[in-house]
């Protein structure tokens, strides 16, 4: 196979890679092409793939250490680093009941704009999502580039928000939607964390750090805090800063969690199966100490 090629999207960010088969061993040269595309474009799409979960993990590890997902029912192929993103129950292979609290909270959390793992002390660097079963219609994933959005904010707004600290809490989605909270032991293992509202990237660029796990802006009146986050989210998700991915079977999409956020779009989840497997590349250190 000839060398992989990068084809930037017309949307302002994101790119497709062609001429690459990840069921075959990756060369250092192909990895470099991918890594450069990832750093430059924020979202990278490779279509027409057919690889195993173990190969998914192997490829992901080129980018760094992977995050673990400790609950076995979330894991694919018994691999703690492969998260099932699905409306299908792993053991029974049946579609989950629509009113199941865990699934409901998962869907409400992921169908809202979010940044993967923003509720963890160390934010993740990247996510790699592979489609194994997709619905006939819907279930797209939308991405918003929060770096481009930050750059486009008026200078006064940038100055106003630059040093704000935001508390992210995994329980927030449940609270907001009146769902029961998770067992105390799990809650204690994932306490709320503080994150900057504006993060500085390694190359000096800045990006908004937003998403559904946000509980409040520290030191700000709750209603004011809610309004500010809503305002920034509305701005960052305007068409100029978004890309909508329509899944085909065998798509691998990798995105940069440092400068994008994303959401899943609706589909008929009572009747249609949607099974995607995700690995997540861990970040290096907490952003705030
Ligand atoms: Fe996500």
């Amino acid at each position: 196979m000839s060398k992989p090629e990068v084809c930037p999207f017309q949307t302002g960010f994101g790119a497709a890679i062609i001429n690459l088969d990840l069921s075959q061993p990756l060369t250092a040269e192909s990895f470099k092409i991918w890594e450069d595309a990832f750093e430059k474009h924020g979202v990278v799409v490779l279509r027409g793939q057919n690889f195993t979960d173990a190969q998914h993990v192997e490829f992901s590890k080129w980018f760094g250490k992977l995050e673990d997902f400790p609950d076995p029912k979330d894991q694919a192929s018994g691999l703690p680093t492969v998260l099932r993103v699905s409306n299908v129950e792993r053991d029974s292979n049946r579609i989950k009941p629509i009113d199941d609290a865990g699934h409901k909270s998962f869907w409400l959390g992921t169908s809202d704009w979010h940044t993967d793992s923003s509720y963890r002390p160390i934010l993740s660097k990247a996510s790699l999502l592979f489609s194994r079963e997709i619905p006939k219609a819907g279930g797209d994933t939308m991405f918003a580039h929060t770096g481009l959005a930050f750059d486009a904010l008026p200078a006064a707004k940038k100055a106003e928000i630059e040093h704000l600290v935001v508390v992210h809490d995994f329980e927030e989605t449940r609270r907001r939607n009146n769902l029961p909270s998770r067992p105390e032991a799990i809650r204690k293992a994932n306490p709320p964390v503080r994150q900057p509202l504006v993060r500085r990237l390694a190359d000096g660029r800045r990006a908004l750090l937003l998403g559904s796990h946000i509980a409040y802006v520290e030191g700000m009146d709750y209603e004011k805090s809610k309004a500010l986050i809503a305002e920034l989210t509305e701005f960052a998700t305007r068409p100029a800063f978004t890309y909508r991915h329509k899944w085909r079977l065998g798509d691998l999409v990798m995105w940069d969690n440092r400068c994008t956020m994303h959401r899943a779009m609706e589909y008929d989840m009572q009747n249609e199966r949607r099974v995607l497997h995700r690995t997540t590349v861990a970040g290096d250190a907490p952003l705030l100490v």
Side-chain angles (χ1 to χ4, degrees):
M1 191 174 264
S2 52
K3 236 170 55 164
E5 262 180 68
V6 181
C7 312
F9 296 153
Q10 302 300 310
T11 42
F13 72 100
I17 292 203
I18 55 170
N19 291 337
L20 184 62
D21 176 359
L22 289 181
S23 69
Q24 301 301 312
L26 191 72
T27 64
E29 186 191 18
S30 294
F31 168 68
K32 183 79 177 79
I33 291 171
W34 186 298
E35 190 185 35
D36 288 348
F38 167 73
E39 292 291 342
K40 186 169 175 193
H41 299 289
V43 175
V44 175
V45 174
L46 177 66
R47 299 220 193 241
Q49 300 299 297
N50 185 10
F51 49 70
T52 65
D53 287 315
Q55 286 171 321
H56 188 162
V57 170
E58 279 315 302
F59 175 63
S60 307
K61 276 160 65 179
W62 280 79
F63 298 92
K65 191 180 172 317
L66 303 187
E67 289 181 5
D68 278 332
F69 299 93
D71 191 338
K73 72 175 180 353
D74 294 337
Q75 302 168 357
S77 304
L79 295 164
T81 51
V82 183
L83 174 74
R84 295 178 75 258
V85 176
S86 184
N87 66 329
V88 177
E89 204 173 40
R90 192 192 64 171
D91 293 338
S92 68
N93 199 27
R94 291 210 179 115
I95 289 179
K96 291 174 188 170
I98 200 95
D99 54 356
D100 174 86
H103 184 234
K104 216 173 184 174
S105 116
F106 180 80
W107 176 253
L108 288 166
T110 57
S111 61
D112 209 349
W113 287 104
H114 67 282
T115 307
D116 289 338
S117 303
S118 74
Y119 55 88
R120 296 188 187 215
I122 299 181
L123 286 158
S124 63
K125 175 181 172 184
S127 299
L128 296 97
L129 190 60
F130 182 55
S131 59
R132 295 192 166 273
E133 291 187 64
I134 51 170
K136 283 198 280 291
D140 303 344
T141 301
M142 285 200 71
F143 295 92
H145 200 296
T146 57
L148 293 176
F150 179 83
D151 290 345
L153 282 171
K157 184 55 82 177
K158 285 180 183 167
E160 179 194 326
I161 64 171
E162 197 161 22
H163 301 293
L164 293 177
V165 172
V166 175
V167 172
H168 289 241
D169 184 357
F170 192 84
E171 284 292 313
E172 177 61 18
T173 301
R174 289 183 179 242
R175 261 199 305 271
R176 222 176 23 234
N177 294 287
N178 298 317
L179 292 166
S181 56
R182 296 168 306 159
E184 197 184 346
I186 295 180
R187 285 203 317 271
K188 279 194 167 153
N190 297 284
V193 295
R194 300 168 75 238
Q195 308 284 13
L197 178 55
V198 178
R199 68 178 295 178
R200 194 169 283 275
L201 307 172
D203 61 3
R205 287 178 306 160
R206 283 171 293 173
L208 296 165
L209 173 46
L210 297 168
S212 61
H213 301 305
I214 289 180
Y216 57 89
V217 179
E218 217 171 62
M220 191 179 275
D221 166 79
Y222 184 73
E223 288 306 319
K224 223 175 133 188
S225 148
K226 226 167 81 174
L228 174 64
I229 298 303
E231 176 198 334
L232 293 172
T233 304
E234 186 280 320
F235 185 82
T237 56
R238 290 181 183 178
F241 314 123
T242 58
Y243 159 66
R244 183 172 187 142
H245 186 72
K246 291 187 183 297
W247 290 96
R248 292 184 208 153
L249 214 55
D251 282 357
L252 175 68
V253 180
M254 179 177 184
W255 62 89
D256 190 338
N257 281 310
R258 300 167 302 183
C259 61
T260 66
M261 61 175 171
H262 58 280
R263 68 185 294 196
M265 304 305 283
E266 271 185 28
Y267 67 102
D268 180 3
M269 68 173 70
Q270 268 180 296
N271 299 298
E272 293 274 345
R273 295 165 64 96
R274 186 175 187 264
V275 182
L276 301 115
H277 288 183
R278 191 185 99 198
T279 53
T280 311
V281 182
D284 304 320
L287 298 178
L288 297 176
V289 282

